[in-house]
Amino acid sequence: ILWSIGSGFNEFNRKKKMIRIFRWGFPGKNRRINLYYKFEEIKAIKLEKKIGLNTIQSLYLQIINKKEIPLFKLGYSATYELLEKQAADLAKFLNVSLII
């Protein structure tokens, strides 16, 4: 918590048709994690809900090579309806499918 490991931001640039995902890692020379993807590399937006003792809701960016990148940090709390709307808006913006 003190080093903000895993925190960061997502940037969706319509002009450049690029996505930048920035996260803070463990302290050291490789602390900054920058991932760049072109809109064409995005396969889908995946919304997942696991019901159990602790219900887990997750929103992922699915890349063509089957990699899934989480789009918000753990502990992010929102209603499922709000998360579903955000996922639908993002899928529409990127012109990709939404997997629920």
Side-chain angles (χ1 to χ4, degrees):
I1 295 173
L2 187 63
W3 291 319
S4 299
I5 296 169
S7 68
F9 61 88
N10 308 317
E11 178 185 346
F12 299 90
N13 190 323
R14 181 174 274 170
K15 286 185 180 181
K16 295 180 182 180
K17 296 200 179 264
M18 291 287 294
I19 298 171
R20 176 184 178 203
I21 298 174
F22 175 82
R23 299 288 185 266
W24 287 107
F26 288 100
K29 64 180 180 177
N30 296 324
R31 181 151 195 239
R32 295 174 186 232
I33 301 167
N34 275 302
L35 303 173
Y36 294 93
Y37 299 100
K38 295 179 183 178
F39 280 13
E40 298 85 39
E41 295 178 75
I42 307 306
K43 180 179 177 182
I45 300 297
K46 182 178 177 184
L47 181 59
E48 188 175 75
K49 184 175 185 177
K50 293 181 184 175
I51 300 171
L53 291 175
N54 292 329
T55 300
I56 299 172
Q57 302 172 151
S58 305
L59 183 62
Y60 297 99
L61 185 67
Q62 230 178 21
I63 310 301
I64 289 177
N65 67 359
K66 307 278 188 204
K67 192 187 307 185
E68 291 182 352
I69 300 167
L71 290 179
F72 59 86
K73 64 182 178 179
L74 298 174
Y76 172 81
S77 62
T79 64
Y80 187 74
E81 291 77 20
L82 177 62
L83 196 58
E84 196 173 46
K85 182 176 177 355
Q86 289 175 344
D89 290 344
L90 184 57
K92 185 177 178 181
F93 176 78
L94 297 172
N95 197 28
V96 295
S97 60
L98 175 60
I99 300 170
I100 297 178

